[in-house]
């Protein structure tokens, strides 16, 4: 038996989805052209008028929007309604430059809550569930997004926010939480803490987790599933396009269905901007169709992934996106080789290490260096230097086989790498501090 939150939408035949998208797109383009000077200027520069857009097949004629545009238009330049119609803002956690501020009308919040409700139902949630939301609440969209969806589903919602892990565990155990929502790195940390407190995976009542907001590997999924005794579902989203729930995983756990009644996804070549056919790897671009306050057309996410329309056993017809392999900005170029942190994570977990690691990149004597700090498990920790050196060499060889460049591996004491309660910081690139542009 498959469960849907909005079956009529989630299982709509593809031709109907396209027709619905076309109808919404035509109206949206006219609305932003008439009301938002920034869009009007961009479209005029490209020589495209609202009348040129007759449906989704004309989407490629419209200009892209990038994070730089959002910064330039900060704070009100892309607002498409009166400020008095807006009820909330959220903002990205960016550390450089101006933050992005996204505005929401009440209807924008309702649509967004529907999206996260779909994700919760797809993970097996219902009004009989107890949903522990330990994404951060505040400007970050994680907490508010899953909280709203959980209310819509009618689940008992625990708005925990992130952090205070002892309290998370106390509530989880005393109230019997059945679904947990947080970043995968925090889920791993909660699993580790439960174990330390002497709990076995079967001692908790959790059945599912809804994890996202950062890149994570299949190896990490298996690790979390085993340690918490749950099924771990992926959820994706970004502040600019509303927040979590732009796409979500179903019971098949092979990619995330994009809520296509609200968003159009495209994959482009990040260098040329050319739209690539389904199945190609490239940069994900979103157009929001229903957002009133802060609609974005052809927004470049910088996330690299693949789209697939392969029939899904869950019955949903919405296109699926693969796990993003990290943002194009996460990609490191080390000695000329493209390296994603997720590749290193996959090797570490395959080799039996816990996902507690940090990658440090530097440049010494004009040559790039790659150091990987990996925590030992308590059980493997040895005070014999010889044993440790051997293990370091083995791990370095395994990473070299994956990347084609040799890292220096440092096995460090258990608990010596800081745990994450939100988005984990996996990479320290000292070359940036040296003012080197990579
Ligand atoms: O991270 C929204 C979110 C909250 C998603 C909770 C899922 C769960 P931002 O802070 O604006 O919004 O960051 C968005 O995070 O462009 C991706 O690079 C990354 N990201 C989000 N979800 C995933 C995921 C939220 N499931 C940026 N896998 C996005 C990999 C993800 N990366």
């Amino acid at each position: 038996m498959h469960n849907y939150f909005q079956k009529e939408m989630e299982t709509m035949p593809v031709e109907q989805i396209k027709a619905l998208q076309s109808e919404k797109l035509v109206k949206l383009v006219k609305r932003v052209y008439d009301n938002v000077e920034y869009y009007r200027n961009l479209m005029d520069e490209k020589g495209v008028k609202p009348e040129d857009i007759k449906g989704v097949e004309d989407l490629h004629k419209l200009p892209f929007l990038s994070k730089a545009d959002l910064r330039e238009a900060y704070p009100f330049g892309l607002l498409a309604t009166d400020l008095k119609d807006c009820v909330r803002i959220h903002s990205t956690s960016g550390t450089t430059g101006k933050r992005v501020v996204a505005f929401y009308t009440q209807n924008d919040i309702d649509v967004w809550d529907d999206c996260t409700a779909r994700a919760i139902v797809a993970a097996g949630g219902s009004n009989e569930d107890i949903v522990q939301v330990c994404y951060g609440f505040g400007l970050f969209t994680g907490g508010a997004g899953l909280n709203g969806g959980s209310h819509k589903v009618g689940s008992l919602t625990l708005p925990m926010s992130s952090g205070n892990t002892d309290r998370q565990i106390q509530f989880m155990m005393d109230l019997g939480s059945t679904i947990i929502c947080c970043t995968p790195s925090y889920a791993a940390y909660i699993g580790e803490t439960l174990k330390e407190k002497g709990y076995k995976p079967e001692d908790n009542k959790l059945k599912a987790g809804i994890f996202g907001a950062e890149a994570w590997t299949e190896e990490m999924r298996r690790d979390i599933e085993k340690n918490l005794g749950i099924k771990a579902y992926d959820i994706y989203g970004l502040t600019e396009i509303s927040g979590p729930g732009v796409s979500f995983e179903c019971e098949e756990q092979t990619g995330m269905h994009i809520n296509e009644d609200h968003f159009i996804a495209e994959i482009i070549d990040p260098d040329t901007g050319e739209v690539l056919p389904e199945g190609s790897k490239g940069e994900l671009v979103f157009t929001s169709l229903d957002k009133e306050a802060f609609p974005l057309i052809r927004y470049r996410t910088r996330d690299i992934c693949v789209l697939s329309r392969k029939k899904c056993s869950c019955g949903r017809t919405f296109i699926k996106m693969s796990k993003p392999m990290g943002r194009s900005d996460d990609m490191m170029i080390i000695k000329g080789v493209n390296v994603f942190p997720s590749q290193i994570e996959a090797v570490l977990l395959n080799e039996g290490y816990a996902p507690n690691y940090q990658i440090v990149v530097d440049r010494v004597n004009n040559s790039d260096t790659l150091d990987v700090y990996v925590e030992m498990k308590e059980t493997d920790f040895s005070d014999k230097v010889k044993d440790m050196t051997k293990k370091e060499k083995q791990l370095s060889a395994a990473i070299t086989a994956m990347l084609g460049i040799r890292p220096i591996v440092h096995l460090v004491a258990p608990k010596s790498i800081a745990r994450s309660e939100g988005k984990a910081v996996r990479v320290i690139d000292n070359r940036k501090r040296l003012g080197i542009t990579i």
Side-chain angles (χ1 to χ4, degrees), residues 7-257:
K7 185 169 188 222
E8 67 295 353
M9 284 299 169
E10 296 179 73
T11 61
M12 189 186 270
V14 176
E15 302 70 46
Q16 275 183 41
I17 295 175
K18 294 248 158 101
L20 181 69
Q21 289 181 332
S22 290
E23 193 190 312
K24 289 184 178 183
L25 180 68
V26 170
K27 282 196 195 130
L28 170 74
V29 171
K30 182 160 171 21
R31 186 162 73 85
V32 296
Y33 190 85
D34 291 345
N35 296 319
V36 186
E37 195 189 339
Y38 199 93
Y39 271 117
R40 193 159 52 245
N41 290 342
L42 278 183
M43 284 174 61
D44 286 347
E45 265 169 42
K46 217 174 171 222
V48 45
K49 292 268 173 279
E51 312 76 85
D52 299 330
I53 308 302
K54 302 201 168 62
V56 281
E57 64 284 2
D58 296 322
L59 186 62
H60 69 276
K61 297 179 182 161
L62 290 162
F64 288 118
L65 211 58
S66 69
K67 197 144 196 159
D69 289 299
L70 267 50
R71 292 205 170 116
E72 199 181 318
Y74 173 89
F76 300 121
L78 283 164
L79 197 61
T81 45
D82 279 349
L83 201 56
K84 69 174 171 29
D85 296 324
C86 298
V87 296
R88 203 194 295 165
I89 65 153
H90 281 284
S91 176
T92 55
S93 50
T95 46
T96 50
K98 279 180 194 153
R99 283 167 175 251
V100 169
V101 174
F103 298 84
Y104 303 71
T105 63
Q106 186 55 50
N107 189 59
D108 292 337
I109 302 268
D110 285 341
V111 169
W112 177 25
D113 288 349
D114 281 352
C115 290
T116 51
R118 289 176 185 176
I120 293 171
V121 172
S126 73
N127 60 358
E128 291 179 10
D129 280 289
I130 300 181
V131 177
Q132 182 159 349
V133 183
C134 16
Y135 287 111
F137 280 66
L139 287 173
F140 179 54
T141 53
L146 271 306
N147 195 72
S150 176
H151 277 225
K152 282 231 170 175
V153 175
S155 312
L156 175 62
T157 313
L158 276 49
M160 303 295 296
S161 200
S162 60
N164 204 336
T165 308
D166 284 345
R167 190 178 59 195
Q168 302 280 4
I169 289 176
Q170 189 192 338
F171 275 70
M172 178 191 292
M173 290 303 177
D174 294 351
L175 296 175
S177 306
T178 53
I179 297 181
I180 183 168
C181 309
C182 59
T183 57
S185 53
Y186 194 37
Y189 179 28
I190 291 176
E192 180 186 8
T193 313
L194 277 169
K195 199 169 175 187
E196 274 169 18
K197 288 183 185 289
Y199 291 112
K200 293 195 205 63
E202 57 274 21
D203 294 338
N204 70 62
K205 292 222 166 64
L206 292 174
K207 63 177 187 191
I210 303 177
F211 305 130
E214 63 186 5
W216 54 309
T217 55
E218 286 301 327
E219 288 75 9
M220 180 105 165
R221 186 204 306 263
R222 283 196 287 276
D223 206 58
I224 296 173
E225 289 190 331
K226 185 168 73 115
N227 292 339
L228 288 175
I230 59 171
K231 269 189 96 169
Y233 297 87
D234 205 349
I235 183 167
Y236 168 91
L238 59 166
T239 316
E240 297 90 316
I241 304 292
S242 67
V246 171
S247 66
F248 60 93
E249 248 178 5
C250 62
E251 65 226 32
E252 221 189 66
Q253 294 180 298
T254 53
M256 296 174 272
H257 290 284

Side-chain angles (χ1 to χ4, degrees), residues 376 381-382 384-392 411:
M376 299 291 293
F381 196 48
S382 162
K384 286 205 197 93
V385 176
K386 223 170 83 193
D387 291 351
M388 297 286 278
T389 314
K390 193 171 151 213
K391 285 195 167 112
E392 285 173 344
L411 291 177

